[in-house]
Amino acid sequence: AISEGIETIEARLPSDREIGDVVRQVSKLAVDSGLDQPGMTARPPVRGTLYMEQPIEMTLTGDFRGFYEFLLELERMPRITRMPDLSVERAKDNDGHLTAEFTLNIYFEREDQQS
């Protein structure tokens, strides 16, 4: 039972070669949610206890409903991610738009670690 749980979690981890695909999926989620094309900056991967994390600094602009939809869809993705920081600021013209800045960490497994 425990080994099955571990296999289920590991199946959700992309390889290092698949990180680009996950980043493109996240970008598409933002645009499909009605947000502007996100600004994205990849940071160096970080070694975790068992797996690697790829931090991506993101900036999104658009309306609140689109941002909320983006977060819901991000949660539904089959890949394991976390958002360790988030800053949301209302647009100066106060038309319901916002700018969100956050780091999205995508967990992955290096090719040479996979069994």
Side-chain angles (χ1 to χ4, degrees):
I2 291 175
S3 63
E4 290 174 3
I6 291 171
E7 288 175 12
T8 300
I9 290 171
E10 287 180 343
R12 295 179 62 195
L13 295 173
S15 70
D16 47 0
R17 286 195 244 171
E18 296 171 304
I19 287 291
D21 293 337
V22 176
V23 170
R24 281 187 287 282
Q25 290 170 353
V26 170
S27 179
K28 184 174 179 340
L29 285 179
V31 172
D32 289 351
S33 297
L35 302 171
D36 294 341
Q37 183 69 37
M40 303 173 111
T41 304
R43 295 293 173 214
V46 177
R47 180 180 301 279
T49 305
L50 297 174
Y51 305 105
M52 301 290 290
E53 291 181 52
Q54 175 62 63
I56 308 288
E57 291 183 10
M58 295 186 67
T59 302
L60 292 174
T61 56
D63 68 11
F64 176 78
R65 289 179 191 213
F67 182 63
Y68 183 68
E69 180 65 29
F70 167 77
L71 292 176
L72 291 174
E73 292 301 318
L74 184 64
E75 182 67 23
R76 291 182 185 120
M77 282 185 65
R79 301 304 188 183
I80 299 172
T81 61
R82 76 182 175 102
M83 198 179 294
D85 59 60
L86 170 65
S87 170
V88 178
E89 194 171 302
R90 182 183 297 180
K92 293 186 183 359
D93 57 12
N94 199 17
D95 65 354
H97 280 70
L98 58 83
T99 298
E101 295 180 358
F102 57 93
T103 302
L104 180 68
N105 287 352
I106 303 168
Y107 287 86
F108 70 97
E109 194 170 26
R110 287 192 344 238
E111 286 285 323
D112 58 4
Q113 285 181 317
Q114 293 181 341
S115 45

